[in-house]
Amino acid sequence: MNVLLILCIIVLVLSSLLLIGSILLHKGRGGGVSDVFGGGISTSMRSSGVAERNLNRITVGVALVWVTSIVLIGLITKFQG
């Protein structure tokens, strides 16, 4: 059980970092964090609708992995001892 718990924690950390990165890459709607990192300057590079849809899909997929790993960690620690 310890190996499964460690694996779930590793997946949680990696998916957390990927989720933070994918959220910060989204196109800003004005006045958000993306403007701090130059979101207003590079809007012409990320104005593609296909790229934004793909980024949305990646973000949702990573979020599902994140939630699943949290639930698995909770179940493992509940039934472990």
Side-chain angles (χ1 to χ4, degrees):
M1 272 304 211
N2 275 341
V3 174
L4 186 60
L5 181 64
I6 291 171
L7 184 65
C8 286
I9 291 173
I10 290 171
V11 168
L12 177 66
V13 169
L14 290 176
S15 63
S16 297
L17 293 174
L18 286 173
L19 191 61
I20 290 169
S22 66
I23 288 172
L24 288 176
L25 283 175
H26 274 78
K27 185 168 46 171
R29 304 273 190 260
V33 176
S34 62
D35 289 340
V36 173
F37 296 112
I41 297 171
S42 63
T43 55
S44 63
M45 291 173 42
R46 294 185 295 181
S47 62
S48 173
V50 175
E52 188 71 23
R53 278 195 303 261
N54 287 337
L55 187 58
N56 287 339
R57 291 178 186 146
I58 290 170
T59 304
V60 169
V62 172
L64 289 174
V65 170
W66 185 76
V67 168
T68 304
S69 65
I70 288 176
V71 170
L72 285 175
I73 289 171
L75 289 173
I76 290 170
T77 55
K78 180 178 180 180
F79 294 117
Q80 195 173 31

